[in-house]
């Protein structure tokens, strides 16, 4: 007999859960409007009933833009201790979510440790883990095998799972008709496409979608509907394959809500700046205002080594236009597995993008930290400035690397500091430079 409600089921019944109260307090909003939006599906609170260390967060309409950090081992980088250091860094810099994308060997030991210690919500892509977990080649894996991996992740306490259920035969037909430069760049999507083409079968996550939802509902796991046909270069954006899959995702969203399973929908990808706003509005329209989770978008294809910047530009535009959740991108994107320095750069870039978008969207209290920084700069109070900086350690290190003669200025302008000059005049003081040389 079931002993609890999912967040969506409770919300539909008018029940305010402890998780809703925590999220409402974090967002500084009344809990009743939050409950109503969870019931409608426009806000999700990914929170597996077995993730006891979680500090719940809300994703969706009217809330702060959240960020996700990807990590995990690969066949070429197998050191779980390094990945756990990345976890510590993600938590330290306030990432609300961590996705374990490990795709080598037995990953469940690391995942269990991650879930045990992390207050951030944890996401996975079961498709990545299937080959290692099952110890089978792709062609030998059955639909039932894929469902076994989904259940295993749910039982371990994963809060949300990327399930590529939208790349069905109809979406594949559209993709095949409309030729692309980069074809399929989603790792999970490419594996499913290969499995479908080799076996001749329908996508198992689409064909057995109700069974997937039953597993997720049992543990209150949020489904993150993966965009297997997301564009991998700006030339492929907003094409037939991407839009065809998006239409399928809209239908899958409604089917999940009918079973009281919370939903997020994943989005592009690579996309020119002038297309981003229209894509955000199209996704919200086709997917019934479900929370939107974007990877980037990367606004140009020519900046390997700097893709945290191209992603932050696209992410800020996307979130200002309606996206709710940004997946970070590091300088190592397209090049290698990110190291600790890359992870930090990616987190900071995404946090800047999310915060800038929250200001643009008029999220309540989003500007308060900026106003506090402006007050500190007006007073030339360096300690107060560092306190309000996204990365206080870096800001302090830069300032102190070339210390000014007068701490009321910095080494760029010295005594010609505009703030110092104006403050002195407004205080009735005389500004003199030659006498001070």
């Amino acid at each position: 007999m079931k002993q609890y409600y999912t967040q969506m089921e409770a919300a539909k019944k008018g029940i305010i859960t402890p998780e809703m109260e925590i999220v409402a307090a974090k967002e500084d909003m009344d809990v009743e409007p939050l409950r109503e939006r969870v019931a409608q599906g426009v806000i999700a609170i990914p929170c597996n009933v077995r993730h006891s260390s979680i500090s719940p967060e809300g994703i969706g309409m009217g809330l702060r833009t959240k960020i996700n950090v990807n990590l995990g081992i690969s066949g070429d980088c197998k050191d779980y201790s390094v990945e756990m250091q990345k976890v510590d860094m993600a938590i330290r810099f306030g990432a609300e979510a961590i996705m374990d994308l490990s795709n080598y060997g037995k990953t469940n030991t690391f995942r269990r440790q991650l879930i045990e210690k992390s207050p951030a919500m944890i996401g996975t892509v079961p498709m990545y883990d299937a080959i290692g977990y099952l110890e089978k080649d792709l062609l030998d894996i059955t639909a039932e095998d894929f469902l076994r991996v989904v259940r295993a992740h749910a039982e371990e306490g994963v809060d949300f799972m990327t399930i590529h259920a939208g790349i069905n035969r109809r979406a594949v037909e559209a993709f095949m008709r409309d030729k692309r430069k980069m074809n399929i760049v989603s790792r999970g999507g490419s594996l499913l496409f290969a499995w479908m083409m080799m076996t001749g079968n329908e996508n198992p996550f689409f064909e057995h979608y109700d069974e997937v939802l039953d597993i997720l509902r049992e543990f209150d796991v949020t489904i993150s509907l993966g965009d297997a046909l997301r564009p991998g270069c700006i030339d492929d954006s907003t094409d037939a394959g991407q839009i065809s899959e998006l239409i399928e995702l809209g239908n899958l969203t409604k089917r999940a809500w009918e079973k009281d399973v919370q939903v997020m929908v994943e989005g592009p990808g690579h996309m020119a700046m002038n297309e981003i706003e229209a894509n955000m509005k199209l996704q919200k329209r086709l997917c019934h205002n479900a929370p939107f989770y974007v990877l980037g978008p990367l606004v140009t294809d020519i900046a390997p080594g700097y893709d945290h910047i191209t992603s932050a530009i696209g992410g800020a535009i996307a979130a200002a236009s309606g996206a709710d959740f940004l997946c970070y991108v590091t300088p190592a994107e397209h090049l290698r597995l990110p190291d600790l320095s890359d992870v930090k750069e990616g987190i900071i870039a995404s946090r800047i993008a999310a915060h800038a978008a929250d200001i643009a969207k008029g999220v309540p209290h989003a500007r308060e930290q900026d106003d506090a920084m402006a007050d500190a700069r007006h007073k030339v109070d360096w300690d107060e400035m560092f306190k309000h900086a996204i990365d206080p350690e870096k800001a302090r290190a830069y300032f102190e690397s070339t210390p000014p003669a007068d701490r009321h200025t910095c080494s760029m302008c010295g005594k010609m500091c505009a703030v110092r000059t104006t403050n002195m005049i407004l205080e009735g003081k005389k500004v003199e430079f030659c006498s001070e040389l």
Side-chain angles (χ1 to χ4, degrees):
M1 182 177 178
K2 192 169 159 206
Q3 299 177 354
Y4 59 87
Y5 297 123
T6 69
Q7 295 294 325
M8 174 169 264
E9 185 180 11
K12 288 178 180 178
K13 293 179 179 292
I15 298 170
I16 293 173
T17 65
E19 292 78 14
M20 293 178 201
E21 292 178 338
I22 292 170
V23 171
K26 286 182 175 182
E27 301 286 343
D28 198 17
M29 66 183 294
D30 293 336
V31 71
E32 180 57 25
L34 177 74
R35 181 201 64 77
E36 290 176 357
R37 293 177 197 174
V38 173
Q40 295 163 3
V42 299
I43 286 178
I45 304 177
C47 195
N48 188 312
V49 295
R50 293 192 175 181
H51 188 177
S52 59
S53 63
I54 194 171
S55 178
E57 295 283 356
I59 301 170
M61 186 181 292
L63 306 185
R64 290 179 297 107
T65 305
K66 308 305 188 298
I67 70 167
N68 170 71
V69 169
N70 288 340
L71 46 81
I73 66 160
S74 68
D76 292 313
C77 298
K78 311 181 182 91
D79 191 341
Y80 277 122
S81 65
V82 172
E83 297 312 296
M84 199 55 79
Q85 291 177 53
K86 295 176 185 177
V87 171
D88 293 336
M89 182 174 289
I91 294 169
R92 173 185 162 206
F93 281 100
E96 290 86 4
I98 297 170
M99 288 197 78
D100 174 21
L101 304 186
S102 297
N103 63 355
Y104 177 83
K106 296 295 184 182
T107 61
N108 55 344
T109 299
F110 172 71
R111 192 160 48 249
R112 288 186 181 123
Q113 292 173 350
L114 176 58
I115 292 165
E116 182 178 345
K117 76 173 291 185
S118 175
M121 62 187 111
I122 302 301
T124 59
V125 187
M127 189 68 204
Y128 292 1
D129 197 27
I131 294 171
Y133 179 88
L134 298 166
E135 296 184 333
K136 291 183 178 181
D137 276 327
L138 186 61
L139 186 58
D140 298 325
I141 299 175
T142 65
E144 291 73 22
D145 287 333
F146 287 125
L147 295 183
R148 273 208 296 142
V149 180
V150 171
R151 175 167 286 279
H153 284 214
E155 289 177 345
E156 288 166 8
V158 169
D159 302 297
F160 66 98
M161 292 186 207
T162 294
I163 304 290
H164 297 92
I167 181 171
N168 58 17
R169 286 174 175 167
R170 286 191 295 270
V172 167
E173 286 173 5
F175 158 70
M176 298 284 279
R177 282 195 310 269
D178 195 24
K179 302 300 182 185
R180 282 181 161 186
K181 285 187 182 295
M182 284 295 298
N183 291 322
I184 297 175
V185 298
S186 160
R187 189 192 312 169
S190 69
L191 292 171
L192 273 172
F193 173 72
W195 186 89
M196 292 167 67
M197 297 301 285
M198 288 191 299
T199 64
N201 295 330
E202 178 59 279
N203 178 347
F205 295 114
F206 178 79
E207 187 174 10
H208 301 278
Y209 189 61
D210 286 330
E211 295 168 62
V212 172
L213 294 177
D214 288 340
I215 295 169
L216 302 183
R217 188 182 196 274
E218 184 178 346
F219 299 91
D220 199 5
V221 178
T222 298
I223 188 168
S224 188
L225 289 167
D227 54 337
L229 296 176
R230 68 174 180 263
C233 64
I234 58 174
D235 191 65
D236 291 343
S237 64
T238 325
D239 69 353
Q242 180 196 336
I243 302 305
S244 178
E245 182 182 32
L246 187 60
I247 293 168
E248 299 295 339
L249 297 183
N251 179 52
L252 295 172
T253 295
K254 294 183 75 172
R255 287 175 60 185
W257 287 345
E258 289 167 1
K259 290 207 170 195
D260 298 324
V261 173
Q262 299 181 103
V263 177
M264 298 187 292
V265 178
E266 298 184 14
H270 293 234
M271 183 165 287
M273 289 170 60
N274 59 302
E275 295 184 35
I276 294 174
E277 181 179 3
N279 268 262
M280 300 305 108
K281 295 185 185 308
L282 183 62
Q283 184 279 336
K284 288 286 186 174
R285 174 72 173 132
L286 291 177
C287 296
H288 320 291
N289 288 312
F292 197 23
Y293 174 25
V294 295
L295 177 62
L298 278 68
V299 296
T300 180
D301 298 327
I302 62 169
Y306 299 91
D307 276 330
H308 60 308
I309 298 174
T310 60
S311 171
I313 293 168
I317 298 170
S321 303
D324 307 289
F325 192 22
L326 303 181
C327 185
Y328 91 151
V329 172
T330 77
E333 186 78 5
H334 302 110
L335 301 172
R336 60 171 169 81
L337 196 76
D339 62 17
L340 281 169
S341 175
D342 297 324
V343 168
K344 179 181 176 181
E345 292 294 317
I347 293 170
I348 296 299
S350 290
R351 282 203 59 197
I352 293 169
H355 182 70
D358 288 347
I359 294 170
K361 287 191 288 191
V363 172
H365 311 291
R367 280 183 51 170
E368 288 180 355
Q369 188 173 351
D370 297 79
D371 291 341
M373 177 64 86
D375 289 339
R377 284 176 171 158
H378 171 77
K379 295 181 292 185
V380 199
D381 185 336
W382 294 102
D383 289 332
E384 192 70 10
M385 288 185 232
F386 302 146
K387 174 182 171 183
H388 296 295
I390 282 182
D391 185 355
E393 291 181 7
K394 183 172 184 177
R396 185 181 292 276
Y398 266 58
F399 174 74
E400 293 179 351
S401 65
T402 310
D406 182 348
R407 193 172 172 84
H408 292 292
T409 66
C410 76
S411 58
M412 175 174 283
C413 298
K415 294 188 182 299
M416 289 189 182
C417 170
V419 176
R420 176 180 182 271
T421 297
T422 306
N423 285 349
M424 290 179 69
I425 292 297
L426 292 176
E427 291 167 7
K429 298 177 182 177
K430 183 185 293 186
V431 177
E432 295 178 320
F433 298 111
C434 293
S435 62
E436 298 177 7
L437 296 176

